[in-house]
Amino acid sequence: FRSNLKSQHVSFIITNQKGQQMYSQEINNMQASGIYTIDISRFAQGTSYLEVVTDKGILSNSFIKVH
């Protein structure tokens, strides 16, 4: 995840197709143009959903893990 956010509270939430939360992390004072890496190596193959919640709104996206 590449951030173009100014310092603020950011939450990252990843859920699977069943709606089960697989990952959650909150970060305070995220730096502008920072890079945040999430290790998905333990996730099962298939579609997952990323939600990034900030003071300015919510960004939702899906991704597919193939290996």
Side-chain angles (χ1 to χ4, degrees):
F1 176 76
R2 282 192 191 275
S3 169
N4 290 324
L5 306 170
K6 295 182 180 173
S7 296
Q8 59 184 322
H9 178 80
V10 180
S11 296
F12 296 93
I13 302 162
I14 298 177
T15 56
N16 62 18
Q17 289 180 314
K18 295 178 182 178
Q20 299 167 320
Q21 186 170 301
M22 301 171 11
Y23 179 88
S24 178
Q25 179 69 44
E26 294 185 23
I27 298 175
N28 291 310
N29 299 319
M30 185 152 181
Q31 300 300 315
S33 298
I35 295 175
Y36 186 75
T37 303
I38 299 172
D39 179 7
I40 63 168
S41 63
R42 62 183 172 80
F43 294 178
Q45 290 186 19
T47 303
S48 296
Y49 304 93
L50 170 66
E51 188 172 83
V52 181
V53 181
T54 72
D55 299 334
K56 299 188 185 227
I58 299 172
L59 170 69
S60 297
N61 206 345
S62 62
F63 61 93
I64 299 171
K65 181 178 178 195
V66 292
H67 291 280

